[in-house]
């Protein structure tokens, strides 16, 4: 796979740090589901789930701006799950970061191969 | 938003007390990213839905912040708990100040 420009990854890490307030996000109980390969980067289905999460943020590390969406769960939320469709300009890592009730953060990432970018 | 097109919500009309339900929503909107240029090379200004909220009887289910990387016609699927009969309120906020609202009742049974 082609290497991402350094700036893209740095920008994504900066955006993640804004969400976490600089707290290091470790591995944990968080799932990000995407297709492995998409023909069209305009509508890429993604699902995130993290039991007990207060919020889950999604980042596209190779897009012009890495922030994609932040799901804040309220008291009437069911399981901490959300699904939507996103734009990916090229093959890249998509990252999901969850804020847990105790203030800790967990993250995961999935590489999505994009044949025609958005 | 494309004139005449309305947001859509898909959810059950009734549920058992305390049950979890799945809700699907969609709003027709181009989600102009601010990254595209027109045929003259001028940047087309960003114009997106930047926030979506769902509340049940006035309490938050989900509050979503959207960025330009969300696809056109943004759709969401999420889960809510239904402890009692009531009303779900759905609100979409656009960059241009427009606010789009929908409400749907749910019964217990």
């Amino acid at each position: 796979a082609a290497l991402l420009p350094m700036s893209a990854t740095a920008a994504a890490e900066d955006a993640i740090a804004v969400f976490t307030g600089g707290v290091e996000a470790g591995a944990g109980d968080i799932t990000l589901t995407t297709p492995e390969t998409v023909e069209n980067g305009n509508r890429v289905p993604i699902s995130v789930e993290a039991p007990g999460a207060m919020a889950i943020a999604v980042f596209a590390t190779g897009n012009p701006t890495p922030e994609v969406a932040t799901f804040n769960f309220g008291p009437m939320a069911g399981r901490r799950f959300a699904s939507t469709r996103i734009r990916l300009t090229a093959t890249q890592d998509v990252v999901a970061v969850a804020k847990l009730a105790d203030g800790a953060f967990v993250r995961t990432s999935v590489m999505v191969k994009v044949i025609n970018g958005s | 938003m494309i004139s005449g097109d309305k947001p859509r919500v898909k959810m059950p009309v009734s549920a058992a007390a305390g049950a979890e339900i799945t809700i699907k929503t969609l709003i027709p909107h181009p989600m102009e990213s601010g990254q595209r240029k027109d045929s003259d090379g001028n940047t087309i200004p960003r114009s997106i839905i930047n926030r979506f909220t769902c509340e049940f009887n006035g309490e938050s289910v989900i509050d979503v912040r959207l960025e330009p990387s969300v696809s056109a016609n943004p759709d969401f699927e999420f889960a809510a708990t239904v402890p009692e009969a009531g009303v779900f309120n759905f609100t979409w906020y656009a960059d241009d100040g427009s606010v789009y609202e929908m409400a749907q009742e749910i019964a217990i049974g």
Side-chain angles (χ1 to χ4, degrees), chain B residues 1 7 24-26 30-33 42 48 56 59 75-76 80 82 89 99 101 107 109:
Chain B
M1 193 166 70
K24 292 183 181 183
T25 69
L26 183 149
M31 293 290 285
E32 189 58 60
S33 68
N42 303 310
I48 69 167
F56 178 66
E59 281 204 273
D75 61 344
F76 295 111
V82 183
N89 288 95
V99 176
E101 292 175 289

Side-chain angles (χ1 to χ4, degrees), chain A residues 41-44 60 63-79 81-88, chain B residues 20 30-33 35 56 59-73 75-81 83:
Chain A
N42 281 321
R43 286 183 79 73
V44 182
N63 277 8
T65 54
E67 298 90 346
V68 176
T70 305
F71 303 98
N72 298 288
F73 299 103
M76 303 310 288
R79 70 197 168 97
F81 158 85
S83 156
T84 188
R85 287 169 223 272
I86 70 171
R87 293 168 168 151
L88 295 176
Chain B
E20 178 178 306
M31 293 290 285
E32 189 58 60
S33 68
Q35 302 285 343
F56 178 66
E59 281 204 273
S60 176
V61 175
I62 198 166
D63 186 336
V64 185
R65 178 174 170 181
L66 294 74
E67 304 290 345
S69 286
V70 173
S71 299
N73 308 322
D75 61 344
F76 295 111
E77 182 176 338
F78 53 94
T81 51

